[in-house]
């Protein structure tokens, strides 16, 4: 599939782990293979993306993570030549800290650049749900100290 790297990126953003992302994508592609002759006629990337989100959701619901949530994201290092990489890692960690539904909305809307309607179709919900989940997720992301510090350092604006 020509869109493999893009789907792998979406899987990584959903799982937060490169190995789990590869497992997730491989699982989805293995499920789609027997149906590929039917799927290929329509929009295979959209179908695969929806299967990716659904499979991730089923994994998340079944698996106890054994993680202990913390109130705040750890402080990031001072800005240096690697500030962009630090920001990417902080953003990825922040997105992973969101609840699964909000995480899926953020990944599809802002990383995969889908419209509200397309995101609603992939998630099997209404456009209003996508909008409300987006607002909640962005509010949560803006409130995270590590991201706020990065944004203030980059833009010189206090949020």
């Amino acid at each position: 599939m020509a869109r493999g790297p893009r789907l792998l990126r979406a899987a990584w953003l959903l799982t937060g782990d490169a190995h789990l992302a590869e497992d997730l994508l491989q699982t989805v592609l293995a499920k789609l293979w027997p149906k590929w002759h039917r799927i290929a006629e329509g929009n295979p990337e959209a179908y695969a993306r929806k299967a990716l989100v659904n499979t991730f959701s089923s994994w998340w619901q079944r698996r106890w993570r054994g993680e202990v949530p913390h109130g705040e994201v750890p402080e990031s290092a001072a800005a240096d030549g690697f500030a962009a990489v630090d920001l990417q890692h902080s953003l990825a960690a922040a997105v992973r800290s969101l609840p699964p539904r909000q995480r899926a909305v953020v990944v599809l809307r802002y990383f995969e650049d889908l419209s509200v309607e397309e995101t609603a179709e992939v998630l099997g919900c209404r456009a209003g749900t996508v909008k409300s989940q987006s607002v909640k997720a962005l509010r949560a992301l803006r409130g995270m100290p590590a991201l706020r510090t990065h944004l203030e350092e980059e833009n010189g604006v206090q949020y």
Side-chain angles (χ1 to χ4, degrees):
M1 173 181 280
R3 294 303 209 178
R6 190 169 174 164
L7 290 171
L8 182 58
R9 182 184 67 168
W12 180 78
L13 288 166
L14 288 169
T15 63
D17 179 88
H19 299 293
L20 280 177
E22 290 172 353
D23 290 346
L24 176 60
L25 183 57
Q26 183 175 355
T27 301
V28 167
L29 293 176
K31 285 181 183 178
L32 297 182
W33 179 250
K35 307 172 194 173
W36 194 254
H37 62 280
R38 259 185 313 147
I39 297 167
E41 295 172 6
N43 186 351
E45 184 180 358
Y47 196 94
R49 191 180 302 115
K50 183 169 184 163
L52 200 68
V53 171
N54 289 342
T55 303
F56 166 72
S57 295
S58 70
W59 282 10
W60 187 84
Q61 291 169 356
R62 276 189 267 143
R63 187 178 299 165
W64 177 70
R65 296 176 174 262
E67 296 177 1
V68 179
H70 296 279
E72 294 182 20
V73 176
E75 291 296 323
S76 63
D80 58 11
F82 300 101
V85 174
D86 290 342
L87 178 58
Q88 287 177 340
H89 287 289
S90 294
L91 181 58
V95 170
R96 286 193 306 271
S97 73
L98 294 172
R101 186 76 160 191
Q102 290 178 12
R103 185 183 324 169
V105 167
V106 167
V107 168
L108 294 173
R109 284 281 293 131
Y110 303 106
F111 289 96
E112 292 296 312
D113 202 26
L114 297 182
S115 69
V116 171
E117 293 75 22
E118 290 170 330
T119 302
E121 184 179 326
V122 168
L123 295 175
C125 64
R126 295 179 177 205
T129 303
V130 171
K131 291 176 186 177
S132 68
Q133 293 295 308
S134 294
V135 168
K136 290 176 184 176
L138 293 176
R139 187 176 298 136
L141 291 172
R142 283 187 193 111
M144 294 184 178
L147 287 181
R148 184 178 298 141
T149 302
H150 279 293
L151 291 172
E152 289 172 357
E153 288 172 0
E154 274 190 15
N155 301 324
V157 178
Q158 190 162 1
Y159 290 93

